[in-house]
Amino acid sequence: MKNVGVLGLGTYVPDKVFTNFDFEKILDTSDEWITEMTGIKERRFAEDDMETSDMAVLAAERALADSGVDKEDIDLVIVATSTGDHRFPAVANIVQDRLGLRNVPSMDQLAACTGFIYSMVTASQFIQAGTYKNVLVVGVDKLSKITDFTDRSTAVLFGDGAGAAVMGEVEAGFGIKSFELGSKGSGGPHLYDDKEDGRLRMNGREVFKFAVRQMGESSVNVTEKAGFTNEDIDMLVPHQANIRIMDAARERMNMPRERMSCTIDKFGNTSAASIPLSINHELKSGKIKSGDNLVLVGFGGGLTWGAICLTWGKNKEETHD
């Protein structure tokens, strides 16, 4: 069976920074409360004229450059998003056209904040089956356009951004070792896009209870499926939803804080973009290197969840201590 992993990674976040102190000016809230309850200090908001697809294209171009794969060799485009430019065409259709990927199949995958994990797994199945060789996966959301900025319980949580990966065959010992996907449709009313006003609604208490349990369980499950123990995992990369949820997963894995990626203070919850944004941050800081074992785990509206255990990198030449 082919080993499938990430050949290249690229991200994009808007320039506009919106801090907790900015929220103090428009909501009955405080920097201290937001930080304590969520771990968020600031987030990025795209300008009104920047579409979800614009961010996706920028991240995709950077992932292609990082991978060394020629765009003519991309066989499939999958975009994970909950905030497409239109109901249709899909964001993936727009990305395919703007990258000049003529006649390449493309599709959006909607699993909310779990979307990037769902899309990575989908890509890996096509590659392992031999149907496609190189798949471009993008996680992108412009949550600012569906956020109710009068609702202090949700407004402070979300940000905009994009992350992309080129996935393909990697050397033995690298790539995805195990995964888990799941959903619980009965939980949909706890986190959804209101069809009446197009705004995000959340029952924070119920989502918190679900996420604390599921993030920890899924992290342990994929670690065991891969034949690893928690000591073998170099970094836990959770969906950046809430620091208390993230810490619960980390504690279930019995891992110290320094082995968990935490970018929520910088970007807030960017939904499908949060995991690739976190990986890229840790790569740049030198905390993730080739040969490291990672657990990626997320949850989202639906309710959905997913986790992946993988060994980062493409080949042995890149590995170093």
Side-chain angles (χ1 to χ4, degrees):
M1 186 174 288
K2 293 186 177 79
N3 300 291
V4 179
V6 174
L7 305 179
L9 191 73
T11 62
Y12 171 80
V13 290
D15 293 331
K16 182 180 178 181
V17 176
F18 203 86
T19 69
N20 293 345
F21 297 107
D22 292 319
F23 269 118
E24 289 183 350
K25 300 171 186 175
I26 61 173
L27 291 173
D28 181 16
T29 190
S30 68
D31 169 64
E32 182 181 15
W33 184 88
I34 298 170
T35 303
E36 180 181 349
M37 298 302 292
T38 71
I40 300 169
K41 297 294 290 185
E42 60 186 40
R43 69 290 291 149
R44 306 294 183 94
F45 289 152
E47 298 295 341
D48 291 343
D49 62 353
M50 173 169 268
E51 295 283 3
T52 298
S53 61
D54 295 323
M55 295 190 290
V57 168
L58 290 166
E61 289 174 337
R62 293 169 183 177
L64 284 165
D66 185 56
S67 71
V69 174
D70 194 284
K71 68 180 183 179
E72 280 74 28
D73 292 325
I74 296 295
D75 305 307
L76 172 67
V77 179
I78 306 174
V79 174
T81 188
S82 306
T83 55
D85 303 10
H86 315 277
R87 292 186 184 275
F88 59 88
V91 173
N93 297 147
I94 300 171
V95 171
Q96 181 242 41
D97 177 61
R98 288 179 56 185
L99 292 178
L101 306 178
R102 194 169 300 172
N103 298 327
V104 170
S106 56
M107 61 181 175
D108 284 2
Q109 194 157 43
L110 204 169
C113 303
T114 323
F116 194 75
I117 288 177
Y118 265 61
S119 296
M120 286 183 71
V121 171
T122 302
S124 73
Q125 300 305 292
F126 276 116
I127 296 165
Q128 284 187 335
T131 308
Y132 301 119
K133 184 178 180 182
N134 299 303
V135 179
L136 174 63
V137 172
V138 184
V140 57
D141 272 299
K142 186 180 178 181
L143 292 173
S144 59
K145 74 177 182 180
I146 64 169
T147 297
D148 180 353
F149 285 98
T150 67
D151 178 7
R152 67 175 183 174
S153 67
T154 59
V156 301
L157 300 175
F158 302 107
D160 303 334
V166 176
M167 298 191 64
E169 188 171 0
V170 295
E171 282 191 11
F174 295 87
I176 295 174
K177 301 297 178 67
S178 65
F179 68 86
E180 173 178 290
L181 301 177
S183 68
K184 181 182 179 182
S186 61
H190 298 317
L191 181 54
Y192 64 98
D193 179 8
D194 191 331
K195 64 182 179 180
E196 298 300 324
D197 63 7
R199 295 294 182 237
L200 185 153
R201 305 296 176 197
M202 182 173 69
N203 181 332
R205 184 182 299 275
E206 291 301 318
V207 171
F208 184 86
K209 289 193 296 185
F210 164 79
V212 164
R213 177 183 59 79
Q214 195 61 58
M215 291 264 281
E217 281 188 12
S218 295
S219 299
V220 170
N221 289 346
V222 294
T223 300
E224 293 177 349
K225 284 182 185 177
F228 292 150
T229 69
N230 66 313
E231 292 298 326
D232 297 315
I233 304 303
D234 297 288
M235 183 158 288
L236 174 68
V237 186
H239 165 50
Q240 307 287 304
N242 179 301
I243 190 62
R244 294 180 296 155
I245 295 172
M246 294 156 59
D247 274 336
R250 176 183 61 78
E251 289 165 5
R252 180 68 185 274
M253 287 285 287
N254 194 26
M255 294 174 66
R257 174 68 78 87
E258 58 266 24
R259 284 166 58 197
M260 179 182 78
S261 177
C262 184
T263 59
I264 192 170
D265 58 324
K266 300 171 181 64
F267 304 126
N269 179 346
T270 55
S271 190
S274 80
I275 286 176
L277 283 174
S278 290
I279 295 172
N280 192 55
H281 176 80
E282 304 302 350
L283 285 168
K284 287 185 174 180
S285 67
K287 292 182 180 179
I288 292 177
K289 60 185 183 298
S290 184
D292 281 353
N293 296 319
L294 314 180
V295 168
L296 321 179
V297 61
F299 72 95
L303 296 167
T304 62
W305 68 87
I308 290 172
C309 183
L310 78 160
T311 300
W312 187 260
K314 296 183 283 187
N315 53 55
K316 293 180 175 63
E317 284 72 21
E318 296 178 330
T319 307
H320 59 276
D321 294 327

